[in-house]
Amino acid sequence: MKKVFSILMVAFAMTAMVACGEKDNTTDNGGGNNNGGGNTETTSLNGTSWLYTVGTNSQDGYIYVGVGFDMGMATVNHTYCTGGEQTYEIYGGAYTYSAGNGTITLNDIASQQNVGTATFSINGTTLTLHLLGETYTLAKQQ
């Protein structure tokens, strides 16, 4: 049940960010002309989601990290259980992606405070995420 709640929270957060975000004016130029700021391929990640889990939900050592990309925005769900306490952290923000590497602006969904950035790289169906001092390897979801 808690895993379903986590998934629903990611979906809710993505909907909230899309509904409140500004229009994304970046496009994938297919490696053509440089638009001055570099090639941001945000459209190539639209609609994709990535997942990392270890342990059993609600038990010490459990970690869930989910990342979803949609319409120029990224949502990161980081859920973990330590000392019998389960913590949910949900971040959303704009992202850039080019040549297999990207950066996500991390805004806490609850407080809307910026907490920094996360970097990621993609190789096939694997996304390596560097989130707040930790590194996670996420698998692409179908």
Side-chain angles (χ1 to χ4, degrees):
M1 181 67 181
K2 288 186 180 184
K3 192 167 194 169
V4 172
F5 177 75
S6 295
I7 293 169
L8 289 174
M9 287 302 295
V10 169
F12 172 74
M14 288 178 66
T15 303
M17 293 304 297
V18 170
C20 299
E22 294 181 20
K23 183 179 179 196
D24 180 22
N25 290 325
T26 61
T27 58
D28 179 2
N29 68 8
N33 295 332
N34 186 329
N35 294 330
N39 181 17
T40 54
E41 303 167 2
T42 59
T43 56
S44 64
L45 292 179
N46 278 342
T48 64
S49 60
W50 308 77
L51 179 63
Y52 168 87
T53 59
V54 65
T56 302
N57 192 11
S58 300
Q59 293 183 1
D60 280 351
Y62 171 71
I63 301 172
Y64 167 93
V65 179
V67 178
F69 298 96
D70 198 23
M71 300 181 72
M73 301 299 286
T75 302
V76 179
N77 181 335
H78 180 220
T79 302
Y80 55 93
C81 187
T82 55
E85 294 290 322
Q86 191 149 339
T87 303
Y88 301 94
E89 300 171 339
I90 302 176
Y91 308 104
Y95 72 93
T96 59
Y97 176 68
S98 180
N101 297 297
T103 302
I104 302 169
T105 301
L106 298 174
N107 296 316
D108 184 280
I109 295 293
S111 68
Q112 290 300 305
Q113 296 293 316
N114 181 282
V115 295
T117 59
T119 59
F120 65 94
S121 61
I122 296 176
N123 185 2
T125 59
T126 301
L127 182 146
T128 303
L129 177 68
H130 303 283
L131 174 68
L132 304 174
E134 299 291 331
T135 301
Y136 303 98
T137 303
L138 290 75
K140 187 173 184 179
Q141 303 300 291
Q142 299 299 332

